[in-house]
Amino acid sequence: SAQEMKHMENLSNLAQGSGPMEFQPSEREQPWELIMDKKHFRLWRRPIQGSHLYQYRVFGSYTDVTPRQFFNVQLDTEYRKKWDSLVIKLDVIERDVATGSEVIHWVTHFPYPMYSRDYVYVRRYNVDKENNLMVLVSRAVEHPSVPEDPEYVRVRTYESQMVIRPHKTFDENGFDYLLTYSDNPQTVFPRYCVSWMVSSGMPDFLEKLHSAALKAKKMELEVRDYLSKGSDTAPEPCGPAQLEYA
């Protein structure tokens, strides 16, 4: 994920003032197609071989939020329940102290007339202070504590990688991010319908995430700080003695 970010930054530097960035995939990879070019981000997609699905990639920047704020707001499941109106359920099922990995159960509304979807996924994050990078990766898993519920459609194919590169430091405004994402929402709709839902829903989610980070900053909302103890231990809520705000 970190190497992909470096590749994107090189492309971005080359493309400064010379039009849209173009990926040069290897011979075995499908080419990326630019489908959205906005002020703060660009969105690409490419077909996943052997399936009817696409993989998506967003490369963007924000200048009014710190990397720490943006990163913490993504990881804080309790805060997300407040700012993401699509969340029906979002719980940490299990946490591994040795690696910091967490198994999450997430239930989310889908557009009418589709059933709500539920995801069981494992996520792990790493803060690389030496290389000035933050990485958050997730993928679908099975877990005995969360059997399928007939009320929801279980999404079994899901992967997400978010890489954040501060423009300066983790606590100064400004950063670039690269989000690579794919899932199989298991709908009976044609591929172009699913593609439209994802390509319109992902920018909307990122904007809500950005707004939530801004709100946490302005209101000094208490958000768990996932950087304070490093990336090798399980995150814990900050106590009064070392309380930090995102």
Side-chain angles (χ1 to χ4, degrees):
S1 295
Q3 287 173 342
E4 288 288 331
M5 183 62 167
K6 190 172 183 180
H7 179 55
M8 285 297 298
E9 288 171 332
N10 291 339
L11 286 174
S12 182
N13 291 334
L14 288 171
Q16 291 290 333
S18 62
M21 291 184 289
E22 292 295 336
F23 290 109
Q24 296 296 327
S26 68
E27 291 181 9
R28 290 181 293 178
E29 289 184 319
Q30 293 277 4
W32 289 93
E33 173 193 3
L34 181 68
I35 58 174
M36 197 175 290
D37 192 348
K38 298 287 188 181
K39 182 180 178 182
H40 295 296
F41 70 89
R42 286 172 172 155
L43 171 63
W44 294 263
R45 71 178 183 187
R46 69 177 177 186
I48 297 174
Q49 288 184 317
S51 77
H52 64 285
L53 304 170
Y54 287 107
Q55 185 179 34
Y56 297 87
R57 172 163 284 177
V58 184
F59 182 70
S61 297
Y62 287 116
T63 57
D64 54 358
V65 176
T66 72
R68 183 189 295 263
Q69 290 155 359
F70 193 69
F71 191 68
N72 285 341
V73 166
Q74 284 184 81
L75 285 162
D76 194 314
T77 53
E78 290 305 309
Y79 183 40
R80 182 169 176 178
K81 294 174 186 178
K82 298 174 183 175
W83 61 262
D84 188 349
S85 60
L86 296 179
V87 168
I88 299 171
K89 189 183 292 186
L90 186 62
D91 299 308
V92 178
I93 304 301
E94 188 176 343
R95 182 177 288 128
D96 179 60
V97 176
T99 64
S101 294
E102 295 176 317
V103 177
I104 310 288
H105 182 215
W106 169 39
V107 185
T108 182
H109 287 290
F110 258 55
Y112 180 84
M114 291 186 286
Y115 286 102
S116 298
R117 262 54 181 173
D118 83 326
Y119 297 71
V120 180
Y121 63 93
V122 62
R123 71 180 186 187
R124 185 183 296 187
Y125 67 90
N126 185 55
V127 178
D128 186 344
K129 295 182 179 178
E130 187 177 331
N131 292 303
N132 209 31
L133 273 181
M134 310 158 93
V135 183
L136 172 62
V137 294
S138 304
R139 64 175 172 82
V141 292
E142 293 186 9
H143 196 280
S145 298
V146 195
E148 285 194 53
D149 187 326
E151 194 175 339
Y152 313 121
V153 175
R154 173 65 52 90
V155 176
R156 297 190 172 278
T157 305
Y158 164 68
E159 281 192 8
S160 172
Q161 296 96 34
M162 171 74 86
V163 186
I164 297 170
R165 166 85 75 186
H167 290 164
K168 293 180 180 178
T169 68
F170 295 133
D171 293 300
E172 293 179 82
N173 284 354
F175 61 89
D176 298 329
Y177 68 88
L178 176 65
L179 171 62
T180 307
Y181 176 94
S182 65
D183 79 347
N184 181 3
Q186 295 181 244
T187 71
V188 294
F189 291 93
R191 178 160 77 169
Y192 69 86
C193 289
V194 176
S195 176
W196 175 82
M197 284 189 293
V198 175
S199 60
S200 60
M202 188 186 294
D204 182 56
F205 168 76
L206 287 166
E207 214 31 66
K208 286 196 293 186
L209 178 63
H210 173 231
S211 297
L214 274 176
K215 186 177 179 182
K217 176 184 177 183
K218 287 176 182 174
M219 298 179 66
E220 289 199 330
L221 297 175
E222 183 182 342
V223 178
R224 181 184 291 177
D225 186 10
Y226 286 78
L227 278 70
S228 60
K229 292 180 179 294
S231 58
D232 296 328
T233 57
E236 296 174 2
C238 298
Q242 80 273 17
L243 183 66
E244 294 190 42
Y245 292 101

